[in-house]
Amino acid sequence: MAEKKEKKPLKKVCIICAKGSIEDVYASLVMANGAVMEGIEAKMFFTFFGLDAITKKKMNKLHTGTVGNPAMTMPGGIPFPTLLGMLPGVEAGVSAMMKKQMADLDIPPVDEFLDMITAGGGEIYACKLAADMFKLKKEDLSEHVIDIITVGDFYALADGDNTQIIFT
Amino acid sequence: MNENSIQPQIDEINQKLDLVLHYVNQQRLKSEAIEDLITDVSIVGRDIFHDTVNELDNQNIELDIDEIMTTKNIAGISVDVNEEGYMTNPSQWTEAIAKELAKEEDIELTDEHLKVAKYLREEHEKGTVLTIRKVGKSGLVDIKGLYKLFPGGPLKKSSKIAGIPKPTSCV
């Protein structure tokens, strides 16, 4: 116990966002923003459906899945019936509600969140394979996207001591 | 010396011995009593501790270690601070203190910094949960500027210098 543990604070996080629903995208954004606010370098890599979060036309129109999500409850805590989630309009209502709840906590829309992260020195990258698959070009993506890169390039960004890769 | 004169001496010694024994016995009883007392008190103390912990748990009260404060001498004034150096009594804040606190963060305090600090103090007084987004929208400085003013901790460092508690928001 007398031995003092040397502190080795985190210096860099590389965050991979591979899903495009509201909660998955925000999990990545909050973690990246939280990192730059603590003075930790942050690099974000958007791939597959995560690309929606940095695609100009889609970034502020993300949705949440109402089907097959056992953690979802109705207001008041009653489990949300999956069948209800299949009805037209329900998904839009749930998504709107989630966005409102986040706005109440001063969580910005996706484009503004990217502004905040890059203002703090965070870097945004898109995955080449997924961009090719979805036929997206750099001009389709947010101006904050530095480049469309390969997985190998991304790993190269994750060099250095005290770096962590986070997959959300 | 004859037998007659020894007898009273022996009696006297016996008496003294009795006295000493009596005294020793008293000491023994006393230390026993004290030991009992210590045992009792520690049982009571342990019970009090457990009861307090349970009661705090029941009432959902969590003691924050940060709340336990110490004082620190900043710019010639005794200031209440928590373990991380955040001031716990915002009313003690002065610009001179801000300057000293900024120095600790390797920041040379300018009017720009002070404007932000004063804004944070006003908002904190109103009970607002502060975020960098709010500061960015205050019209004083944009978020990029805020990062420039307080490198490596836009909200944490500015709050510290403004003499308000450590921010609790994640954005």
Side-chain angles (χ1 to χ4, degrees), chain B residues 99-163:
Chain B
K99 201 165 183 177
E100 286 299 311
L101 289 170
K103 225 178 257 172
E104 280 175 26
E105 301 292 337
D106 292 321
I107 292 169
E108 188 65 42
L109 201 73
T110 64
D111 285 349
E112 288 285 295
H113 292 101
L114 270 178
K115 264 189 225 164
V116 175
K118 282 178 182 165
Y119 168 79
L120 292 176
R121 290 176 59 77
E122 279 167 27
E123 290 298 314
H124 172 69
E125 207 162 305
K126 285 185 220 160
T128 319
V129 176
L130 288 159
T131 61
I132 56 168
R133 190 184 184 211
K134 279 220 179 77
V135 184
K137 287 192 169 166
S138 66
L140 290 170
V141 61
D142 62 4
I143 293 177
K144 211 166 192 166
L146 189 65
Y147 271 99
K148 265 211 187 100
L149 287 174
F150 304 97
L155 198 56
K156 263 168 64 180
K157 289 187 181 175
S158 54
S159 297
K160 194 170 193 178
I161 293 167

Side-chain angles (χ1 to χ4, degrees), chain A residues 15-31 44-55 58-59 61-65 67-69 98 110 114 125-127 130 133-134 166-168:
Chain A
I15 298 169
I16 303 169
C17 177
K19 298 181 206 100
S21 63
I22 298 176
E23 65 272 24
D24 294 312
V25 167
Y26 271 91
S28 302
L29 293 172
V30 170
M31 294 203 63
M44 298 191 78
F45 185 67
F46 289 87
T47 184
F48 288 100
F49 291 102
L51 277 178
D52 281 5
I54 50 169
T55 305
K58 291 182 174 171
M59 57 200 300
K61 297 187 184 115
L62 299 177
H63 292 275
T64 191
V67 174
N69 181 355
M98 267 180 77
V110 175
L114 291 175
Y125 296 92
C127 167
M133 202 177 117
F134 292 128
I166 302 168
F167 190 96
T168 61

Side-chain angles (χ1 to χ4, degrees), chain B residues 22-56:
Chain B
H22 178 70
Y23 187 67
V24 167
N25 206 28
Q26 256 183 347
Q27 283 292 338
R28 191 180 58 83
L29 287 174
K30 212 179 263 175
S31 64
E32 250 175 34
I34 286 172
E35 257 168 44
D36 278 357
L37 189 68
I38 289 171
T39 323
D40 284 356
V41 168
S42 60
I43 288 170
V44 171
R46 207 163 39 223
D47 280 356
I48 289 175
F49 176 76
H50 282 307
D51 285 353
T52 314
V53 168
N54 284 338
E55 196 51 37
L56 285 174

Side-chain angles (χ1 to χ4, degrees), chain A residues 52-93:
Chain A
D52 281 5
I54 50 169
T55 305
K56 278 179 196 159
K57 282 184 186 158
K58 291 182 174 171
M59 57 200 300
N60 286 333
K61 297 187 184 115
L62 299 177
H63 292 275
T64 191
T66 47
V67 174
N69 181 355
M72 195 151 90
T73 55
M74 309 250 265
I78 315 151
F80 192 94
T82 291
L83 276 173
L84 191 60
M86 293 161 79
L87 299 174
V90 169
E91 191 272 343

Side-chain angles (χ1 to χ4, degrees), chain A:
Chain A
M1 288 302 275
E3 187 185 340
K4 222 178 178 181
K5 214 179 159 197
E6 197 195 337
K7 279 199 173 171
K8 288 181 181 163
L10 195 55
K11 282 190 191 145
K12 177 157 68 177
V13 286
C14 296
I15 298 169
I16 303 169
C17 177
K19 298 181 206 100
S21 63
I22 298 176
E23 65 272 24
D24 294 312
V25 167
Y26 271 91
S28 302
L29 293 172
V30 170
M31 294 203 63
N33 183 61
V36 289
M37 276 178 70
E38 295 293 325
I40 299 166
E41 209 181 316
K43 315 240 185 247
M44 298 191 78
F45 185 67
F46 289 87
T47 184
F48 288 100
F49 291 102
L51 277 178
D52 281 5
I54 50 169
T55 305
K56 278 179 196 159
K57 282 184 186 158
K58 291 182 174 171
M59 57 200 300
N60 286 333
K61 297 187 184 115
L62 299 177
H63 292 275
T64 191
T66 47
V67 174
N69 181 355
M72 195 151 90
T73 55
M74 309 250 265
I78 315 151
F80 192 94
T82 291
L83 276 173
L84 191 60
M86 293 161 79
L87 299 174
V90 169
E91 191 272 343
V94 169
S95 298
M97 202 173 130
M98 267 180 77
K99 281 177 189 163
K100 194 194 162 290
Q101 283 169 340
M102 288 198 291
D104 290 346
L105 286 172
D106 211 23
I107 298 174
V110 175
D111 55 347
E112 201 191 325
F113 220 151
L114 291 175
D115 290 345
M116 280 166 61
I117 293 166
T118 49
E123 294 175 3
I124 316 289
Y125 296 92
C127 167
K128 186 171 183 308
L129 180 69
D132 287 349
M133 202 177 117
F134 292 128
K135 306 210 167 21
L136 290 167
K137 295 203 182 65
K138 193 148 185 298
E139 54 267 29
D140 299 319
L141 305 174
S142 157
E143 68 269 28
H144 290 307
V145 175
I146 293 179
D147 206 357
I148 301 178
I149 61 173
T150 65
V151 174
D153 295 334
F154 175 70
Y155 281 133
L157 290 172
D159 68 334
D161 288 340
N162 303 331
T163 300
Q164 296 288 338
I165 295 182
I166 302 168
F167 190 96
T168 61

